Amino acid sequence: MKQLRLYVIVVFVLLIPSYLITVSLDSDDTVITINGIPVPRGEFELFLNRNIAGTYNHFHLKSGVQDHPDFWKTSYGGQTPSDYIKEKTVKQLIDVKVRQHLAIEMRLISNFTFETFQNQWKQDNLNRKAKYESGEVVYGPVENSLPTFYDYYLSKLFIELEEKLNQTRFRGSEQELKLYYEKNKEKWFKYTPGIEVEYLEFGYRGSLERDEVHAEALSISKETSRDKSLKKLTSDALYDHKTFTSKEIITGEDNPDQLIKELALRLNTGEVKVMEGRANAAIYLMRCLSREKDEFLPFCEVQEDVLWYYQKEQYQRLIKNLNSNAEVTINRSVYQVLEVGGTTPENKTL
């Protein structure tokens, strides 16, 4: 049942409603301090710069704004792009720093300073260059940029953090896991033993042709009847008939049977519907000929998967709580004078 995990998209909560903010007037280059971890200007700008394109797009979509020399300092709906991008950057850094702080508590790292990190980055590049020049295999570029190395560091640390928490705090007793299974079995452990469908597949090229094909499929759908096969309705589409059972394992995102099965499971017996294929240029007119009653996978068969879901939820809940209760001190003398903009970045899209 491990394939079930492929359908889970874990979303980390970055909207922080209640963290505690205080303001200082220190003269050093620290922009903010989060749970005691200072964020100097260089680290803050590393995150800030990545939000430039998104900020342009936000105000373009929200207010129809085009780029102009005073873009960052002009108020749109009571907020300037400069304030927006700084606030967004603060939220992102809170999420990063509470995890780093937790990693320190879990003794995965002893401390974190951006200065020490930059030294590690420089040393890593020297090591990679030396290996390359000596003929050893070096994966990726010989030298990594600071943002790339920072991403690699965070990714590795956060994976280790989640694994450590799973081993210590989120082990889950059998009783806890059974309760979690009962609470969530409708969402993750329900399956359809068998389903039979027939369908017409209408291919298309481009958005204009797509609209025409969709309209044609809708028109044909009005001619359906219980005693008339979809095959008899048109010769302009590919007809097929399929039966899926729970014993079949269909893998691969590009497997056409996987797509058909996903569409089929949206239908009840006798239902006819026009649907669009995921990631392929086709419209489907599909009818469910029969569908067996849904069943649940027993706990004993999916206990490992239950633990995986349980641990993911526990981790997300913990991080959300830590984000909400983070202690944030903003150094106003640095924060307020930070400027964004200048020339439009190459990756800006409107």
Side-chain angles (χ1 to χ4, degrees):
M1 289 308 301
K2 291 182 180 179
Q3 64 266 28
L4 288 171
R5 301 174 184 177
L6 298 175
Y7 300 102
V8 177
I9 301 176
V10 178
V11 180
F12 293 115
V13 180
L14 294 180
L15 297 177
I16 317 304
S18 59
Y19 48 77
L20 176 62
I21 293 183
T22 56
V23 178
S24 74
L25 296 172
D26 293 341
S27 59
D28 64 15
D29 76 336
T30 297
V31 182
I32 57 174
T33 301
I34 303 167
N35 286 356
I37 302 177
V39 179
R41 184 167 185 155
E43 187 176 13
F44 191 91
E45 289 178 339
L46 188 152
F47 282 79
L48 187 86
N49 290 336
R50 289 178 168 178
N51 289 321
I52 290 176
T55 301
Y56 275 110
N57 286 339
H58 171 80
F59 283 93
H60 175 69
L61 295 173
K62 182 180 178 181
S63 306
V65 181
Q66 300 294 333
D67 184 27
H68 59 87
D70 296 322
F71 169 79
W72 292 100
K73 296 180 180 180
T74 303
S75 178
Y76 306 100
Q79 185 180 42
T80 67
S82 180
D83 287 339
Y84 171 86
I85 194 173
K86 290 178 185 178
E87 291 168 9
K88 183 175 182 179
T89 300
V90 168
K91 290 176 183 178
Q92 292 171 340
L93 279 161
I94 288 172
D95 188 68
V96 168
K97 294 305 171 183
V98 299
R99 298 187 203 211
Q100 286 181 335
H101 186 262
L102 184 57
I104 293 171
E105 289 183 347
M106 302 294 291
R107 298 184 179 179
L108 292 173
I109 55 176
S110 58
N111 199 356
F112 178 87
T113 68
F114 191 59
E115 182 180 2
T116 301
F117 171 78
Q118 290 180 90
N119 292 333
Q120 293 172 346
W121 162 62
K122 293 173 183 177
Q123 186 59 52
D124 183 75
N125 276 339
L126 290 174
N127 294 341
R128 292 173 67 83
K129 187 176 180 181
K131 286 183 179 181
Y132 177 78
E133 291 176 348
S134 66
E136 295 184 52
V137 176
V138 176
Y139 296 100
V142 177
E143 291 185 284
N144 285 313
S145 67
L146 178 60
T148 298
F149 190 71
Y150 195 98
D151 288 344
Y152 168 77
Y153 159 78
L154 288 183
S155 176
K156 183 173 180 292
L157 178 63
F158 294 165
I159 289 173
E160 292 174 354
L161 174 61
E162 190 169 356
E163 289 176 348
K164 184 71 175 289
L165 288 166
N166 288 343
Q167 295 166 5
T168 55
R169 299 190 191 181
F170 307 147
R171 299 177 67 178
S173 67
E174 185 171 349
Q175 181 180 5
E176 288 173 323
L177 295 180
K178 283 183 176 179
L179 288 172
Y180 187 79
Y181 165 80
E182 289 297 330
K183 181 181 177 181
N184 295 283
K185 66 180 183 180
E186 183 81 21
K187 187 190 305 182
W188 293 317
F189 304 113
K190 183 172 71 173
Y191 72 100
T192 303
I195 188 167
E196 180 185 6
V197 296
E198 64 170 344
Y199 63 90
L200 293 169
E201 179 180 324
F202 301 81
Y204 63 84
R205 295 180 181 178
S207 58
L208 292 177
E209 190 173 327
R210 181 257 176 213
D211 292 341
E212 294 175 1
V213 167
H214 189 266
E216 179 185 0
L218 284 174
S219 177
I220 293 174
S221 69
K222 298 176 182 178
E223 303 174 22
T224 59
S225 61
R226 289 189 177 185
D227 57 349
K228 189 175 184 180
S229 171
L230 296 182
K231 187 176 183 179
K232 298 179 180 180
L233 298 179
T234 181
S235 59
D236 294 334
L238 173 68
Y239 173 84
D240 208 343
H241 173 281
K242 290 188 181 295
T243 300
F244 299 100
T245 69
S246 61
K247 295 180 181 179
E248 292 178 326
I249 299 175
I250 303 173
T251 59
E253 291 185 359
D254 297 327
N255 188 317
D257 279 354
Q258 177 64 39
L259 168 62
I260 300 303
K261 185 176 181 180
E262 288 178 5
L263 296 177
L265 290 173
R266 300 179 190 176
L267 302 175
N268 296 315
T269 301
E271 187 176 7
V272 179
K273 196 171 183 179
V274 174
M275 295 177 284
E276 188 158 7
R278 170 183 48 82
N280 75 329
I283 301 292
Y284 294 88
L285 172 58
M286 184 176 293
R287 171 159 54 192
C288 179
L289 300 173
S290 66
R291 176 173 181 157
E292 295 182 38
K293 184 179 179 180
D294 291 343
E295 297 181 7
F296 296 102
L297 297 164
F299 176 77
C300 60
E301 291 184 11
V302 295
Q303 186 169 350
E304 185 178 340
D305 295 278
V306 175
L307 175 62
W308 187 83
Y309 282 105
Y310 170 82
Q311 290 176 332
K312 285 293 180 185
E313 185 174 302
Q314 292 296 314
Y315 181 70
Q316 292 170 47
R317 184 179 296 161
L318 173 63
I319 298 303
K320 179 180 179 180
N321 183 59
L322 291 174
N323 271 275
S324 297
N325 293 285
E327 294 184 2
V328 182
T329 301
I330 296 180
N331 184 356
R332 183 183 297 172
S333 60
V334 179
Y335 183 85
Q336 289 186 335
V337 299
L338 277 173
E339 292 190 3
V340 193
T343 32
T344 301
E346 291 182 2
N347 64 339
K348 184 191 79 171
T349 55
L350 291 177

